[in-house]
Amino acid sequence: MPTPKPKKKTNSKLESNPKKATALKDSHGTEPYEEELVWSGETSNQTKAQKEFNEALRKHKETLERSKEIEPLFQLVNETYLNVVLPELNKQKQLERERFELMCSILLEEKLSFGKMQREFLRRYLLDICNDNLTEDPEFYNPFRDQLETKFETLERIRYKNQMESRIKQTFGMDIDLDDFNRTQFDSEEERESHEEKYREFREKYEEYRADYFKKSKSEFKDKKKSKAQMEKEKKQLEAERLLSTDINTLFKNLAKLIHPDKEQDPILREKKAKLMTKLSGARDNMNIAEILEIKLQVDELNPNQQTDVSFHDTSIKRFVGIIKTKIRELEDSIKQRFFSHPLMADFPSNKITKESLDVYLKRVKLDNQMVTKAYQKEVDQLAKEPKYIKEMIKELQSLGVQF
């Protein structure tokens, strides 16, 4: 690494340490080969690594600010879902049940004559709806399933159920009725608690079984012989972590000396330093170099006449850049994850979230849900008024590609 040129005076909050530069001179007054460069904020003679670091830190701050700005937008999404969309979904659910009940009545009570293929299509369509909703509301859908199933389908379902109960008996040594186990509707809270207690032992054994299974799978994966490239990659990763730990401890010690609250007489400053010390300790424990460097800026503002001595190799600074970029990606991913994991955001058209684009999207979602509710209501009204409307529904379903 070349010897740094003399630094010009700068008004940056992160200046180089003059004592450090003096100490580097030998007894003849000449500057020997320097192994370290002083990390020095925005100056005209930064190294490439230092410039990259400052740029990465700037982007990290911007991403942090954006994560704060996103919070009210998330609240808007949640409020829209709870106050506007969810009530519509509940209406649709009720109308869907009414529609299903009317269609079953027309088919099972033979209120209308159907061709063989029409009848079979309708039966399979209604049976699918039954099976999809059985877990959620077995009391309502079970009687319809029993009427819609053929004798062969009933026997196959019972055979599969018995097979599963037999496997449970062999694996856990317990007799379980799966129909009763999957119940979700109860007449009282006492009945629910009694049901949970009845199957508590099985649930605990099942969770242990799952944990052991995944532990064994993970162990088998680890036991596989690693390739030379994998071993080299792990070696480099461990070395990078060791160097990072050394850098973080160096920076922590330098900062801790300046902000240790026990050494501060001024009560206001002591309180500020105590808060910074707590943040600094947490950042050190979490190996969060980005947060430590943010704290460094606050420390330099708190002690304008006593700047932090921070000296690192360019290789260390490059490591910092890589870590900060990783933190930026993690922040961006967490923003996306929080937003796009929300059930209302599944069809949001862009990764870039703004108040304007969100308002347009939420308005469209509201209108779409209202249209779906109206469509369900129209079908329910038509089926109740004129049962033969069901034949038009069958044609429409078939034109949409519904098959069995």
Side-chain angles (χ1 to χ4, degrees):
M1 184 180 297
T3 305
K5 297 177 183 178
K7 298 183 183 292
K8 296 177 183 179
K9 188 174 180 181
T10 176
N11 57 4
S12 169
K13 290 180 181 177
L14 305 173
E15 297 178 354
S16 59
N17 190 337
K19 291 181 181 179
K20 180 79 178 176
T22 305
L24 289 170
K25 294 184 179 182
D26 63 16
S27 58
H28 299 287
T30 59
E31 292 188 6
Y33 178 80
E34 184 181 348
E35 294 183 351
E36 293 182 326
L37 285 172
V38 179
W39 180 61
S40 58
E42 296 182 8
T43 62
S44 58
N45 55 352
Q46 294 171 358
T47 65
K48 183 181 178 182
Q50 289 168 341
K51 288 178 181 177
E52 287 178 355
F53 171 83
N54 288 328
E55 179 63 18
L57 198 60
R58 181 185 66 77
K59 287 183 179 178
H60 184 259
K61 287 180 185 177
E62 287 178 358
T63 309
L64 277 173
E65 287 302 314
R66 192 155 61 85
S67 69
K68 293 174 185 175
E69 292 169 2
I70 285 293
E71 186 59 31
L73 298 184
F74 181 80
Q75 292 300 325
L76 176 62
V77 170
N78 215 34
E79 286 170 11
T80 304
Y81 179 72
L82 293 173
N83 301 328
V84 178
V85 176
L86 197 56
E88 287 295 324
L89 292 175
N90 289 333
K91 286 181 193 174
Q92 292 166 20
K93 184 178 176 182
Q94 181 58 38
L95 287 166
E96 188 177 14
R97 278 182 54 158
E98 290 178 29
R99 170 180 174 270
F100 170 80
E101 200 167 12
L102 283 166
M103 292 175 80
C104 283
S105 172
I106 293 168
L107 176 67
L108 298 171
E109 295 175 18
E110 298 184 351
K111 294 181 179 179
L112 205 64
S113 61
F114 293 98
K116 185 178 178 181
M117 291 182 68
Q118 276 187 328
R119 176 176 290 277
E120 181 60 12
F121 178 90
L122 183 57
R123 185 191 72 82
R124 294 288 299 275
Y125 173 72
L126 294 172
L127 185 58
D128 266 14
I129 294 175
C130 252
N131 290 328
D132 289 344
N133 292 279
L134 266 172
T135 305
E136 187 178 343
D137 193 352
E139 268 104 21
F140 177 78
Y141 286 100
N142 259 327
F144 289 106
R145 181 190 65 181
D146 293 341
Q147 295 179 74
L148 289 166
E149 278 184 336
T150 64
K151 187 176 180 180
F152 175 76
E153 288 167 341
T154 303
L155 289 172
E156 279 295 296
R157 174 171 56 81
I158 293 171
R159 184 185 68 79
Y160 178 75
K161 173 179 174 287
N162 291 339
Q163 190 179 58
M164 292 301 296
E165 289 173 350
S166 176
R167 286 183 184 176
I168 290 171
K169 174 75 172 176
Q170 290 173 5
T171 306
F172 302 102
M174 301 178 73
D175 290 314
I176 298 292
D177 181 348
L178 287 175
D179 287 339
D180 183 52
F181 176 75
N182 291 321
R183 261 208 311 157
T184 57
Q185 302 292 321
F186 302 93
D187 294 332
S188 65
E189 189 59 33
E190 289 76 15
E191 188 183 2
R192 181 188 298 278
E193 289 174 3
S194 174
H195 182 270
E196 287 181 1
E197 187 61 36
K198 181 180 178 181
Y199 294 105
R200 187 185 305 280
E201 186 182 354
F202 169 66
R203 287 192 176 94
E204 288 172 355
K205 285 189 175 184
Y206 179 67
E207 286 304 318
E208 286 177 14
Y209 175 82
R210 284 182 76 244
D212 288 343
Y213 175 80
F214 287 115
K215 187 177 179 181
K216 185 180 177 183
S217 299
K218 193 174 180 181
S219 176
E220 288 174 356
F221 178 77
K222 281 184 176 180
D223 290 341
K224 288 182 180 178
K225 192 174 180 180
K226 295 176 182 176
S227 67
K228 188 175 179 180
Q230 285 176 317
M231 292 173 70
E232 189 64 29
K233 185 179 179 181
E234 286 182 7
K235 185 179 177 182
K236 286 181 180 178
Q237 188 175 349
L238 287 171
E239 178 63 9
E241 288 174 1
R242 184 189 70 79
L243 292 170
L244 174 63
S245 178
T246 302
D247 293 339
I248 284 177
N249 285 329
T250 300
L251 190 49
F252 175 82
K253 287 174 185 176
N254 288 336
L255 292 172
K257 286 176 187 176
L258 293 175
I259 61 171
H260 204 291
D262 294 347
K263 297 178 181 179
E264 182 57 60
Q265 302 300 318
D266 186 315
I268 296 175
L269 280 176
R270 189 188 305 125
E271 185 180 352
K272 289 181 179 178
K273 287 185 175 182
K275 289 179 180 178
L276 279 175
M277 192 69 195
T278 302
K279 285 175 67 178
L280 180 63
S281 297
R284 190 269 307 268
D285 293 342
N286 294 321
M287 299 285 284
N288 190 340
I289 188 65
E291 188 175 358
I292 292 175
L293 292 166
E294 290 285 353
I295 293 168
K296 182 202 181 302
L297 295 176
Q298 296 175 51
V299 172
D300 288 343
E301 287 177 0
L302 207 60
N303 303 303
N305 299 320
Q306 195 178 8
Q307 297 290 292
T308 322
D309 178 8
V310 187
S311 300
F312 292 111
H313 292 283
D314 262 15
T315 50
S316 293
I317 298 174
K318 286 176 181 176
R319 267 200 309 279
F320 296 165
V321 171
I323 292 163
I324 293 170
K325 285 181 177 179
T326 300
K327 293 291 179 186
I328 291 169
R329 284 194 296 272
E330 288 173 356
L331 271 171
E332 289 174 341
D333 288 345
S334 70
I335 291 169
K336 290 177 184 177
Q337 176 65 23
R338 185 162 188 214
F339 245 94
F340 295 108
S341 62
H342 195 287
L344 205 60
M345 297 298 290
D347 298 319
F348 191 73
S350 171
N351 286 337
K352 190 175 181 181
I353 305 162
T354 64
K355 178 69 166 60
E356 293 74 21
S357 63
L358 193 60
D359 282 339
V360 171
Y361 174 74
L362 292 178
K363 184 178 179 181
R364 182 170 65 81
V365 168
K366 179 182 175 181
L367 291 172
D368 287 350
N369 272 278
Q370 288 172 345
M371 286 176 63
V372 170
T373 304
K374 286 178 182 177
Y376 271 123
Q377 186 65 65
K378 179 187 173 184
E379 288 187 339
V380 167
D381 293 343
Q382 286 280 77
L383 286 168
K385 183 180 177 181
E386 199 165 358
K388 68 179 182 180
Y389 176 69
I390 199 170
K391 292 189 176 182
E392 290 183 34
M393 292 174 64
I394 292 172
K395 286 180 182 178
E396 187 176 354
L397 287 167
Q398 289 173 330
S399 70
L400 292 171
V402 177
Q403 294 180 355
F404 302 101

